[in-house]
Amino acid sequence: MALLLVSICLAAVIFLYFNNNPLNHSKKFIFRRFVNWFPLGMSYAFLYMARYNLNVSKNAMGDMMTKEQFGIIFAAGTIVYGLSFLINGPLVDRIGGKKGIIIATLGSALMNLLMGGATYLYLMGRLKTNMVVAFSVLYALNMFFQSYGAVSIIKVKAYWFHVRERGVFGAIFGTLISFGVYFAFDWGQAIVDASKLNPEGPRTAFQNFIQHIFAIDTGATDATWLVFTIPAFILIVWALIDMVLLKDSPKEANFDELDTADASSGDDDDVKITLGLIFKKVFANPVMITIALVDFTSGVLRNGIMQWYLIFANETKETNPAFYAGSEFFIKNWGLLLCLTGVLGGFIAGLVSDRMFQSRRGPPAAINNFIMIFLLIAMCFFLTKNPTLFGLSAVLMTLAVIGVHSLMSGTAAADFGGKKMTATASGIVDGCVYLGSGLQSLSIGYLSAKNWHYWPLFLIPFAALGLFLALRMWKELPEATKKYILEVEKAEALKQH
């Protein structure tokens, strides 16, 4: 049933893509652009599966990986992810998004295979080094390669989508994130359940498939390492597909170059991307700094909910059985719920931006942050008291925060950075997301060990800060976009007369 809903959701996304053509591109161009973004997007979605499988493995290992240990490992990865954009953002701007996504998928696949090996050795009692050290190093390396994914997908998008279309692509970007979360949590949990030494109830067809294909019966322990190795094999397949189908720009696919009306519109095609130019257009741009700070708060909020809800809910099994019983729907369908609400949140934010605010990204970001403040207050009230309303508030949080993240990382950074430096610009913005994620990982891992009530309280100031910053960029648009909108309005006025 869950897979059917996700498939319907994917079909709806594809339908909306083909029916959104404000610039009247040819059918051939629209189809070729789909062939470009779909495999690229699915590669990015499975990168998410190979990122958040750590969360699933933590729940599978139970007390063998404590909250504090998990917080340290996850923080090590997210901090490396955030800082690595200083290297790979400018690099992807030079080498292109195609090479960038191939580096991301193959590099992450290798690291996941190594994490699977480390998990096997740990569970079999053969790991000679400290588990936290081993996983922190491998997960950090995984996240280094993962960081190529976001900048690569946005780099390619910047050449294929006009600014007036990017709100919808931001929605597609949010959808891909949501699919990745579904793959990570629900498919990942299905892999964990299928790889148990003594599964509960009768074996399913998927369990039999896993048992026979991977020959996992060690007779000693659950094969939890498969939650790392299976995503690695999937990434390798998508890397091969990207090698064949992906093109960095319309020109490489034998179309005319598209003037996207972003911050690089009108620039000389032969201009050299120097550190000085990057500093001027990105680091010295107050709008870019504001976008990065808004996404920093979204990183705290997104992973502050997505990463910790299952851990919290599973802990109540012993301490508050009635609350746990009321949370089972959310626990069993966490990935699916995050997927569906993330898709909805991304599309609402993108369509509102393009249709109601002339492709300004600040207004819908401000609205979503305003909503999140109230949802977090509700979580404070319902924590341990009403599992249904608490779970519903947590799920709706992801709807709002994916809307903010898809607009900031997936769209605004490319708008104001321009297609020539979009990887550097989006990399800095996305890096701030994961610096925020690292901060919340260390903080909530520490605070929740004392009292879970600190969890939503810790997040409220970041939603308020996100609201304040989004309001500051309410009216901002790149100059080329303003010029394009004025030209369109003049042309429409002439038609009416």
Side-chain angles (χ1 to χ4, degrees), residues 10 35-51 97-98 100-106 108-109 145-146 148-150 152-153 173 176-177 179-181 183 231-246:
L10 179 59
V35 172
N36 218 58
W37 74 252
F38 184 76
L40 177 68
M42 293 308 294
S43 300
Y44 189 63
F46 282 105
L47 280 170
Y48 258 71
M49 184 183 185
R51 181 185 309 180
K98 178 174 182 174
I101 197 69
I102 291 169
I103 291 171
T105 48
L106 294 181
S108 179
F145 287 110
Q146 289 260 349
Y148 281 89
S152 297
I153 192 172
F173 183 72
L176 299 171
I177 293 171
F179 286 156
V181 171
F183 295 147
F233 292 127
I234 295 173
L235 282 177
I236 291 170
V237 172
W238 281 109
L240 295 173
I241 294 172
D242 289 334
M243 290 177 190
V244 176
L245 295 179
L246 189 58

Side-chain angles (χ1 to χ4, degrees), residues 165-487:
E165 302 173 292
R166 289 181 184 176
V168 170
F169 186 84
I172 293 171
F173 183 72
T175 297
L176 299 171
I177 293 171
S178 301
F179 286 156
V181 171
Y182 165 71
F183 295 147
F185 286 103
D186 284 16
W187 285 21
Q189 189 59 51
I191 291 168
V192 166
D193 292 341
S195 61
K196 286 182 178 178
L197 186 64
N198 297 303
E200 298 176 4
R203 287 189 184 275
T204 65
F206 183 67
Q207 286 173 327
N208 287 328
F209 172 79
I210 292 292
Q211 296 281 339
H212 284 96
I213 294 297
F214 294 96
I216 60 172
D217 189 5
T218 62
T221 183
D222 297 341
T224 307
W225 54 85
L226 290 181
V227 80
F228 295 107
T229 56
I230 290 176
F233 292 127
I234 295 173
L235 282 177
I236 291 170
V237 172
W238 281 109
L240 295 173
I241 294 172
D242 289 334
M243 290 177 190
V244 176
L245 295 179
L246 189 58
K247 299 295 181 184
D248 280 315
S249 68
K251 190 173 182 180
E252 290 188 12
N254 299 317
F255 291 95
D256 292 334
E257 200 62 79
L258 176 66
D259 182 0
T260 56
D262 62 17
S264 65
S265 182
D267 286 354
D268 184 356
D269 286 339
D270 296 325
V271 65
K272 287 188 177 181
I273 307 300
T274 63
L275 287 176
L277 187 61
I278 289 172
F279 183 84
K280 180 181 177 182
K281 287 230 175 181
V282 180
F283 292 96
N285 186 334
V287 178
M288 282 300 307
I289 293 170
T290 303
I291 292 168
L293 290 174
V294 172
D295 234 12
F296 173 82
T297 65
S298 82
V300 174
L301 295 162
R302 181 164 66 105
N303 284 295
I305 297 297
M306 196 163 62
Q307 179 180 326
W308 294 101
Y309 175 80
L310 284 182
I311 296 172
F312 164 74
N314 280 311
E315 277 197 9
T316 63
K317 190 172 186 178
E318 300 295 332
T319 60
N320 192 346
F323 189 92
Y324 176 81
S327 304
E328 282 191 303
F329 171 77
F330 296 97
I331 294 171
K332 290 179 180 177
N333 298 285
W334 184 239
L336 176 64
L337 291 169
L338 296 188
C339 176
L340 297 177
T341 54
V343 171
L344 186 61
F347 264 95
I348 290 173
L351 290 172
V352 165
S353 175
D354 278 353
R355 304 283 175 85
M356 296 178 64
F357 294 102
Q358 296 182 309
S359 295
R360 284 180 284 139
R361 316 307 178 189
I367 293 166
N368 279 325
N369 273 287
F370 183 75
I371 292 169
M372 283 191 282
I373 292 172
F374 283 93
L375 290 171
L376 286 166
I377 293 171
M379 289 178 68
C380 291
F381 278 106
F382 299 129
L383 185 78
T384 72
K385 294 178 182 177
N386 190 317
T388 302
L389 292 177
F390 183 81
L392 184 62
S393 297
V395 168
L396 291 176
M397 275 288 298
T398 65
L399 183 149
V401 78
I402 288 294
V404 175
H405 178 56
S406 63
L407 283 174
M408 294 296 110
S409 284
T411 307
D415 292 349
F416 288 93
K419 64 185 181 183
K420 290 182 173 57
M421 286 178 287
T422 194
T424 301
S426 62
I428 291 165
V429 171
D430 211 34
C432 288
V433 175
Y434 281 87
L435 291 176
S437 182
L439 172 65
Q440 67 77 29
S441 185
L442 289 171
S443 301
I444 297 175
Y446 173 78
L447 292 171
S448 62
K450 296 183 177 296
N451 192 315
W452 275 107
H453 283 86
Y454 291 126
W455 170 30
L457 286 171
F458 171 79
L459 298 175
I460 291 174
F462 292 96
L465 178 59
L467 172 60
F468 170 74
L469 292 167
L471 287 172
R472 287 191 62 185
M473 60 174 292
W474 186 278
K475 296 181 179 181
E476 298 293 342
L477 272 174
E479 289 302 320
T481 310
K482 292 178 183 177
K483 182 180 177 181
Y484 171 80
I485 291 171
L486 283 173
E487 289 174 352

